[in-house]
């Protein structure tokens, strides 16, 4: 009992000290509001830098597209040249086979001629022919005929020589054409690889561009919107702390009542025990002593942990993206009525339609002396709760949607450990805080 009192005192003093911390938080919010203008300027320059980065990415994509076109036309030209080379090789091969056939045939002919010349005694044969002339006229005819035969032989030999040289030359040509074909095929392979790489680079640049746009949109917030949020938050923090204080008092009352009931029960049990002892002293047997009744348990406090605010899969986690910081967690599920609920009890600081967050809700929570802010963005329709409203964990806020700067239906959920500020410096990864 004594220990219980100590714990009660401790938690009371802790509660008071944290209320003081929150008062400091409030003054820091005021400071934040004053800083807003300079932050706004910083945001503007960040947006400009982001815009420049986007322009740069677009330029890179355009450059890449023209290189891809160039590569494609190079591939086309290479393929055409490969086709031509192959046709030329075929033509050469045909010419070679014609030449080789002719050479073979002529070889046969020449062999026959040479052997017949040897058989008939070669040059002696010429003399026989001439000497066999009947008269001078016949002799002249024979000389002429022999000359023609000699000329023909000479021409055949010349042709033969030429054809053989042609075959050698064309074979050489085929060799060099084959070499150039292999070179072209290798070049084509290289070009295809280049094209694949360029296409990959382009798709990654496109993805980057998309993220940059998303990032850009998600963070555009007008100065007025920021100041409205801060003012609404101040009021919500005060209301939430008052609510938490009241809840704490009610809890204490309940605990005191439970304690009194437990004490009364214990006193009653003690009296009964004393009465039993008296009666057992007069009797012979002693019954087993009844254990003291356990005091009624204090009502369990409402769970203060966060719950998943909606159903679906986590499509994007908290943390750095290529284009910058993602301050929340995206949860998405298809369907026209995927409900979004409050992740914990709290006070709605704002429920409105933002150009970037779409239909959204900001809730201030005060849990075990710690201030939190949760944000639910891109709801399908205007939120089902209003600014200033007290909500319990699980209170329906609206449906998953695609309003504001959003690409596809999802819930963008942010958790800030402390109050929300324009620079989102209190944003934390919500996942470890969810049951
Ligand atoms: Zn998001």
């Amino acid at each position: 009992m004594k220990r219980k009192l100590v714990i009660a005192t401790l938690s009371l003093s802790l509660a008071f000290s944290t209320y003081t911390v929150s008062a400091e938080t409030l003054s820091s919010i005021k400071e934040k509001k004053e800083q807003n203008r300079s932050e706004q300027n910083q945001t503007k320059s960040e947006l400009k830098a982001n815009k420049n980065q986007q322009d740069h990415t677009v330029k890179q994509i355009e450059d890449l597209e023209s290189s891809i076109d160039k590569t494609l036309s190079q591939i086309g030209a290479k393929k055409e040249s490969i086709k031509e080379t192959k046709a030329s090789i075929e033509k050469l091969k045909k010419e070679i086979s014609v030449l080789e056939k002719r050479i073979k045939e002529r070889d046969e002919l020449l062999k026959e001629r040479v052997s017949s010349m040897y058989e008939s005694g070669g040059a002696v044969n010429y003399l026989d022919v001439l000497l066999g002339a009947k008269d001078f006229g016949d002799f002249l005819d024979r000389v002429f005929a022999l000359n023609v035969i000699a000329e023909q032989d000479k021409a055949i030999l010349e042709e033969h020589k030429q054809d053989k040289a042609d075959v050698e030359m064309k074979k050489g040509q085929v060799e060099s054409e084959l070499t150039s074909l292999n070179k072209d095929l290798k070049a084509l392979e290289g070009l295809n690889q280049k094209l694949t790489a360029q296409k990959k680079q382009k798709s990654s640049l496109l993805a980057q561009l998309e993220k940059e746009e998303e990032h850009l949109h998600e963070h555009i917030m007008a100065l007025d919107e920021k100041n409205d949020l801060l003012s609404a938050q101040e009021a919500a923090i005060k209301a939430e702390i008052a609510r938490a204080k009241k809840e704490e008092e009610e809890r204490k009352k309940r605990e005191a009542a439970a304690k009194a009931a437990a004490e009364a029960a214990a006193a009653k049990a003690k009296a009964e025990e004393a009465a039993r002892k008296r009666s057992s002293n007069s009797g012979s047997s002693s019954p087993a002593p009844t254990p003291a009744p356990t005091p009624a348990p204090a009502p369990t406090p409402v769970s203060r942990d966060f719950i998943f605010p909606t159903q679906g899969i986590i499509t994007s986690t908290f943390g750095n993206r290529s284009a910058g910081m993602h301050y929340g967690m995206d949860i998405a599920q298809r369907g026209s009525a995927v409900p979004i609920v409050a992740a914990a009890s709290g006070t709605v600081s704002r429920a409105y339609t933002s150009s970037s967050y779409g239909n959204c809700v900001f809730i201030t929570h005060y849990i075990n002396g710690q201030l939190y802010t949760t944000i639910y963005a891109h709801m399908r329709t205007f939120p089902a709760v209003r600014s200033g409203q007290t909500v319990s964990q699980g209170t329906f806020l609206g449906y998953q949607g695609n309003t504001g700067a959003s690409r596809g239906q999802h819930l963008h959920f942010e958790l800030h450990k402390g109050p929300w500020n324009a620079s989102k410096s209190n944003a934390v990864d919500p996942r470890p805080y969810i049951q």
Side-chain angles (χ1 to χ4, degrees):
M1 234 164 277
K2 212 175 183 183
R3 213 181 58 191
K4 252 189 182 172
L5 264 172
V6 171
I7 289 169
T9 322
L10 256 177
S11 62
L12 198 70
S13 62
L14 262 175
F16 276 126
S17 70
T18 42
Y19 291 145
T20 325
V21 169
S22 290
E24 280 166 18
T25 309
L26 281 177
S27 77
S28 102
I29 288 173
K30 273 179 192 140
E31 275 171 37
K32 280 272 175 206
K33 209 168 163 182
E34 283 152 20
Q35 285 168 11
N36 236 1
R37 191 165 293 278
S38 70
E39 272 175 16
Q40 181 73 7
N41 288 336
Q42 197 197 328
T43 309
K44 264 184 192 162
S45 71
E46 273 171 20
L47 285 177
K48 206 179 161 215
N50 202 324
K51 186 81 186 60
N52 287 343
Q53 200 184 334
Q54 269 201 68
D55 290 346
H56 179 65
T57 311
V58 168
K59 178 81 181 45
Q60 275 182 304
I61 289 172
E62 280 169 2
D63 288 352
L64 208 47
E65 272 169 353
S66 76
S67 330
I68 286 173
D69 284 347
K70 212 168 135 194
T71 311
L72 279 172
S73 80
Q74 281 175 332
I75 287 173
K78 256 317 157 221
K79 279 185 174 166
E80 193 52 41
S81 126
I82 286 169
K83 211 173 125 192
E84 278 168 15
T85 309
K86 278 183 174 167
S88 149
I89 289 172
E90 280 312 303
K91 194 172 162 249
L92 281 168
K93 279 182 173 169
K94 267 183 197 154
E95 285 169 1
I96 288 170
S97 89
V98 168
L99 283 171
E100 279 179 336
K101 201 178 158 219
R102 210 154 76 195
I103 288 167
K104 204 180 159 220
E105 283 168 359
R106 213 185 275 115
D107 264 342
E108 297 295 321
L109 181 76
L110 288 170
K111 256 185 224 158
E112 273 173 32
R113 224 174 172 92
V114 168
S115 64
S116 73
M117 274 167 80
Y118 270 107
E119 278 162 16
S120 55
V124 183
N125 203 20
Y126 279 84
L127 200 60
D128 287 348
V129 172
L130 292 177
L131 291 177
K134 284 173 257 157
D135 51 35
F136 189 65
D138 186 33
F139 175 79
L140 283 181
D141 282 346
R142 286 178 185 229
V143 168
F144 180 75
L146 284 174
N147 260 334
V148 169
I149 290 166
E151 281 301 316
Q152 273 176 354
D153 280 356
K154 204 181 155 195
I156 286 168
L157 282 169
E158 282 300 318
E159 272 175 33
H160 205 53
K161 216 173 130 191
Q162 187 57 50
D163 280 356
K164 278 187 170 170
D166 278 358
V167 166
E168 284 312 304
M169 190 197 75
K170 283 185 196 289
K171 277 186 175 171
Q173 258 178 304
V174 167
E175 278 302 308
S176 87
E177 294 273 10
L178 277 173
T179 309
S180 104
L181 181 67
N182 279 333
K183 226 170 105 188
D184 280 356
L185 284 171
K186 220 169 188 171
L188 182 66
E189 199 184 308
L191 283 170
N192 276 327
Q193 276 172 2
K194 191 176 162 194
L195 185 69
T196 309
Q198 282 171 334
K199 280 183 175 167
K200 206 171 151 191
Q201 201 188 344
K202 188 187 162 185
S203 73
S204 96
L205 279 171
L206 281 172
Q208 190 187 323
L209 185 67
E210 211 162 274
K211 277 183 179 169
E212 278 163 15
E213 273 179 3
E214 193 180 340
H215 180 66
L216 190 68
H217 286 146
E218 216 164 67
H219 297 84
I220 297 172
M221 212 182 246
L223 179 62
D224 285 353
E225 191 178 351
K226 286 179 187 171
N227 283 337
D228 284 352
L229 276 168
L230 287 171
S231 303
Q233 190 171 246
E234 268 184 61
I237 290 172
K238 278 179 191 158
E240 176 62 9
I241 289 174
R243 187 188 71 82
K245 211 170 180 178
K246 204 175 142 200
E247 206 173 81
E248 175 79 3
E249 276 161 9
E250 276 166 7
R251 191 180 64 82
K252 280 198 176 17
K253 267 187 206 161
R254 280 197 304 272
E255 272 179 10
K259 198 176 127 193
E263 278 173 357
K268 198 180 161 207
K270 211 174 171 187
E272 281 170 2
E273 176 73 5
R276 240 196 324 274
K277 269 188 184 155
R278 271 197 304 278
S279 67
S280 72
N281 280 345
S282 56
S284 54
S285 64
S286 63
T290 333
T294 43
T300 30
V302 182
S303 167
R304 288 304 221 161
D305 294 325
F306 293 90
I307 58 167
F308 262 104
T310 191
Q311 289 178 331
I313 55 158
I314 298 169
T315 52
S316 184
T317 52
F318 176 91
N320 265 311
R321 288 176 179 180
S322 64
M325 184 67 185
H326 183 231
Y327 290 98
M329 185 169 88
D330 293 344
I331 309 167
Q333 182 163 291
R334 283 163 191 252
S336 57
V338 186
I340 295 166
V341 299
S345 301
T347 303
V348 176
S349 65
R350 275 209 86 188
Y352 72 114
T353 306
S354 155
S355 61
S356 55
Y357 281 131
N359 294 312
C360 63
V361 174
F362 281 60
I363 301 178
T364 298
H365 311 270
Y366 193 70
I367 303 169
N368 298 327
Q370 173 65 51
L371 197 73
Y372 295 97
T373 312
T374 51
I375 300 167
Y376 312 76
H378 312 308
M379 288 180 181
R380 178 176 284 259
T381 49
F382 196 82
V385 291
R386 56 183 163 69
S387 305
Q389 188 179 328
T390 300
V391 291
S392 304
Q393 184 174 65
T395 296
F396 173 70
L397 305 176
Y399 294 111
Q400 270 186 36
N402 191 25
T403 56
S406 167
R407 286 164 183 273
Q409 173 170 306
H410 77 288
L411 167 70
H412 172 83
F413 177 67
E414 285 181 25
L415 176 65
H416 297 252
K417 197 173 178 183
W420 173 88
N421 59 60
S423 57
K424 300 193 178 183
S425 60
N426 291 333
V428 291
D429 181 5
R431 191 63 195 88
Y433 291 85
I434 296 173
Q435 281 172 17

